[in-house]
Amino acid sequence: FAHGCSSGGRSLTCPTCPAFLVPLAVFLTGSDRIPIYGMSSLRIIIQSTPSGEQYLPVAHTCYNLLDLPKYSSKEILSARLVQAIDHYEGFSLA
């Protein structure tokens, strides 16, 4: 696979796999729908926060804003992001 992942793009823990990007978009936007003007109209802001490595990334869905603590490695960043996405509950009204 082009980005070096052996999953063929189906890994839910590889931040560059298409299978990971859909849950990431839902986490960041709070919606499982594509914007009316397409994905290119979606503007996502990522800002660094001074919190420690034990904290998870926080998504502010109304603003498409991701608060991302400064992690010491890509592995920790990936693990924390996957953990945050896995525990995301969304706005389900059911």
Side-chain angles (χ1 to χ4, degrees), residues 1 9 17 32-33 45 49-51 57 60 65 68 76 79 85 93:
F1 204 65
C17 280
D32 61 352
R33 307 284 185 232
I45 301 167
T49 60
S51 54
H60 302 277
L65 173 67
L68 195 61
I76 294 173
I85 291 169
L93 300 175

Side-chain angles (χ1 to χ4, degrees), residues 1 5 9 22 24 33 36 38 40 44 63-65 72 85 89:
F1 204 65
C5 179
V22 172
L24 175 63
R33 307 284 185 232
I36 194 165
S40 63
I44 296 172
Y63 303 103
N64 298 334
L65 173 67
S72 61
I85 291 169
E89 294 188 21

Side-chain angles (χ1 to χ4, degrees), residues 54-84:
Q54 69 274 20
Y55 293 97
L56 296 176
V58 174
H60 302 277
T61 57
C62 291
Y63 303 103
N64 298 334
L65 173 67
L66 178 66
D67 288 341
L68 195 61
K70 291 183 180 181
Y71 298 113
S72 61
S73 69
K74 289 180 185 178
E75 291 77 20
I76 294 173
L77 166 62
S78 180
R80 296 293 187 269
L81 192 54
V82 167
Q83 186 179 4

Side-chain angles (χ1 to χ4, degrees), residues 26 30 87-92:
V26 171
H87 291 90
Y88 173 71
E89 294 188 21
F91 296 106
S92 177

